[in-house]
Amino acid sequence: PQGSSDPLASIEDGGTGQVQHATAAAVFNFNLEVTGSDGVSNVTSPTHDIRTETREGRIHVSLSKSGPLSKDLVLLVHYSDPHQPRAITEPGRAKFGTESWMSNPAVMLNFFPKFSTTRAACEFIFVVDRSGSMSGGFIKSASETLVLFLKSIPPGCHFNIIGFGSRHQSLFPKSVPYDQKNLDTAVRHAEGLQADLGGTELLSPLRHIFGLPLLSGLPRQVFVLTDGSVSNTSACIDEVKKNVKHARCFTFGIGSGASTALVKGLARAGNGTAEFIQGGERMQPKVISSLKRALQPSVTDLKAEFKLPAGYEMLQAPAKLPTIFNGDKAVVYGIVRSKGKKTLDSAVEGTATLRGLILGKTIEYSIPFQIPQPSEEETGPFTMPMVHHLAAKSLLKDWEAGEGVKQLKTPAKEA
């Protein structure tokens, strides 16, 4: 209102006031600080002109020109050796109090290996849910996915299709060579799939598959396509886990009702991957990606071991590390705790060792790290305890999967 410096002041006597419009262009200033920049070669932007400056071990990034942003700002942080495992540490925060594990330091390990992608012929067994719940769009989606799988198998492989419900049926008595005759038979079968096998009983076909003799020189890859859940999820996961040395398991959840616990649990236990297909979604990228992974070697039995000074222990998440395929990464979190003390009172030096198997050979990486003393800062790079938050998220996923609970001694509410 006229005569007032308050833009929200009321106008007396029902009068009106002029609305002032800004005429100057909007100004946007951006500043980013990259901490822990050891190993970072440079920071670039494919969308905007930026300036970078390194001061006191930190990279400072800003826009070359201030002004309005007409498109998203994208920044790329480049490492000189991206495949070298690295450790990022974060001090505990005293403000959370001695009863919270947020007051303890955290460490994050990043593992992004690169290895040969030589393909090998395999035996593919497709296990397709044909229970009554698959009727309609779900069985159509399963049919289309299966046809795409069949037409993407490379030469030299063997394959079979098993449908399951209250009982299970095999297309062929045993896995057959991948040739044109067998492919034509399988495609006709896939295109005519019906949801006509009653309930959902997955354990029986899994036991049947794992009881079949292995084909010489052909690693077994099991692909499960399902839309729902089973009453014995744990038993199915245990069966896959028990036979993981002889067969890998990949899963596809079809529709929004697919059980996350079953689909992800089977893939995790079988050193494979899990995918979910929603209505109308393009299936080809996910099918091709899963097939490529099935044909590639992978890092299995990956474990993280932490060596700390006497009197300290590590709470790790996730408790079980996933199988790593070429182009994948693994992230491991740890919360450092002192035995018999509430918080750490000094800096801690330790070593993390990542160990796994690839094509039967052991690979091993050692990553030294140092965790600083608890921080009292309310400003600076540790204002937001990001690693702690990510570790908490990983712990929650472990609890949901029923893993890693025994190693936790602190109430869940503190996460």
Side-chain angles (χ1 to χ4, degrees), residues 65-320:
K65 300 178 181 179
S66 61
L69 287 181
S70 58
K71 56 185 176 181
D72 291 342
L73 171 62
V74 178
L75 294 176
L76 303 176
V77 180
H78 304 270
Y79 277 87
S80 54
D81 185 3
H83 301 291
Q84 179 65 32
R86 301 181 184 278
I88 298 175
T89 58
E90 183 175 84
R93 297 298 302 276
K95 77 170 189 176
F96 288 104
T98 57
E99 296 301 320
S100 171
W101 62 269
M102 292 289 287
S103 63
N104 293 317
V107 59
M108 179 173 68
L109 304 179
N110 294 277
F111 182 45
F112 180 48
K114 183 178 182 181
F115 46 84
S116 171
T117 57
T118 302
R119 291 188 176 187
C122 299
E123 177 196 19
F124 291 96
I125 300 180
F126 301 101
V127 186
V128 185
D129 189 345
R130 289 173 51 187
S131 62
S133 63
M134 287 285 289
S135 60
F138 291 157
I139 196 66
K140 180 181 178 182
S141 180
S143 172
E144 293 172 350
T145 304
L146 182 56
V147 170
L148 188 53
F149 266 123
L150 292 170
K151 292 185 177 181
S152 304
I153 296 176
C157 295
H158 282 54
F159 74 102
N160 202 353
I161 301 172
I162 296 177
F164 74 93
S166 301
R167 53 192 171 86
H168 62 272
Q169 295 178 345
S170 300
L171 174 60
F172 302 107
K174 61 179 181 180
S175 293
V176 296
Y178 184 72
D179 56 28
Q180 192 61 49
K181 178 183 177 182
N182 292 327
L183 174 60
D184 291 342
T185 300
V187 169
R188 286 194 298 270
H189 172 78
E191 291 176 340
L193 284 181
Q194 299 293 324
D196 55 0
L197 293 183
T200 308
E201 175 51 56
L202 178 58
L203 184 58
S204 178
L206 287 177
R207 287 175 173 170
H208 169 72
I209 292 168
F210 296 134
L212 296 172
L214 295 171
L215 301 180
S216 178
L218 296 177
R220 178 168 290 166
Q221 316 287 352
V222 179
F223 283 76
V224 178
L225 288 74
T226 182
D227 77 315
S229 60
V230 296
S231 59
N232 52 353
T233 298
S234 296
C236 292
I237 293 173
D238 289 342
E239 187 68 22
V240 171
K241 186 183 299 184
K242 186 171 62 176
N243 292 277
V244 69
K245 291 186 177 180
H246 308 294
R248 284 198 289 182
C249 185
F250 297 78
T251 54
F252 273 72
I254 299 175
S256 58
S259 167
T260 301
L262 177 66
V263 174
K264 289 188 174 181
L266 291 176
R268 187 185 301 113
N271 287 340
T273 57
E275 298 283 2
F276 290 86
I277 298 176
Q278 305 297 333
E281 186 177 7
R282 290 186 67 240
M283 296 174 285
Q284 185 172 3
K286 294 183 177 182
V287 168
I288 298 302
S289 175
S290 294
L291 273 177
K292 283 183 177 179
R293 293 181 175 192
L295 293 165
Q296 291 177 2
S298 59
V299 179
T300 61
D301 300 325
L302 185 62
K303 293 180 175 61
E305 297 179 1
F306 294 92
K307 184 178 180 181
L308 300 171
Y312 296 99
E313 63 182 358
M314 183 72 79
L315 171 62
Q316 176 188 314
K320 182 181 184 301

